[in-house]
Amino acid sequence: MSPRICKSSLAIFSRTNLSQDLGTYLTQVSKVTGDGTQYFLRNNITYEYNNNPSNLFPSVWNNIVEAEFELPPADATDEPGRLTLMASGGDPDEVIAQRTAEFRQDPDHGPKIEPLIVADREATCLDLRGEWKGPAFRQDDPKPDYRMLLVIIPFTESSTFYAKLTGPRETLALYEREFR
């Protein structure tokens, strides 16, 4: 492609230079108790600015506050469970699809979705069982006989609260009643 054609295509956007700033700010406090239980409180902020005229807003800030608790395993050979609490945006149906994709489901235990009422709000509980591959952004070695319980509580169209319990099935069996 000649430089002349490239300049013409940029003129359509009325900008000759694309300018972009990206940033991620992560703040975390963690503690390990005497019995080995770990607690985390994180604030993750991402920032993006660019001058592309197709952007409705030139800058976008996303703020995710997350608390995570490591739960002691059912026995010494198991990995601990994890309880994650966070408020975030996103379409709950997309979150269900993303979390379901993290599992190779057991044939006799497909994804189970049930409605709940949490503090007078309609909510959804997703129950997944099988081999857990981890989230798409951080693939882990597959972990057999895992389970995830995810409660989704929408507040507004752009704000949702998530409570997620993940770990070996035996470990989650110890905490499921309290979680629900």
Side-chain angles (χ1 to χ4, degrees), residues 74-171:
D75 66 40
T77 61
D78 271 343
E79 290 189 24
R82 289 192 135 10
L83 171 63
T84 306
L85 308 170
M86 66 186 288
S88 181
D91 177 14
D93 290 332
E94 288 178 18
V95 172
I96 288 171
Q98 291 166 353
R99 296 296 170 246
T100 301
E102 293 177 15
F103 276 80
R104 180 174 298 127
Q105 299 289 318
D106 285 349
D108 54 339
H109 289 99
K112 182 179 175 187
I113 299 172
E114 63 181 285
L116 296 175
I117 299 294
V118 177
D120 297 327
R121 291 194 170 271
E122 291 183 9
T124 302
C125 182
L126 173 66
D127 187 348
L128 300 168
R129 301 169 192 221
E131 182 180 74
W132 185 53
K133 301 176 283 187
F137 62 86
R138 188 192 74 235
Q139 291 289 309
D140 290 329
D141 290 333
K143 296 178 175 147
D145 208 26
Y146 252 59
R147 187 172 179 198
M148 178 187 293
L149 290 168
L150 174 65
V151 174
I152 302 168
I153 308 166
F155 292 124
T156 66
E157 279 188 33
S158 60
S159 177
T160 304
F161 182 79
Y162 300 94
K164 180 175 71 168
L165 192 60
T166 309
R169 280 192 212 191
E170 286 184 17
T171 298

Side-chain angles (χ1 to χ4, degrees), residues 1-11:
M1 180 174 358
S2 74
R4 182 180 236 172
I5 294 172
C6 187
K7 285 183 180 180
S8 296
S9 65
L10 287 175

Side-chain angles (χ1 to χ4, degrees), residues 57-87:
F57 302 102
S59 65
V60 176
W61 289 87
N62 292 312
N63 187 17
I64 298 174
V65 176
E66 173 184 38
E68 188 169 270
F69 305 89
E70 185 176 275
L71 306 171
D75 66 40
T77 61
D78 271 343
E79 290 189 24
R82 289 192 135 10
L83 171 63
T84 306
L85 308 170
M86 66 186 288

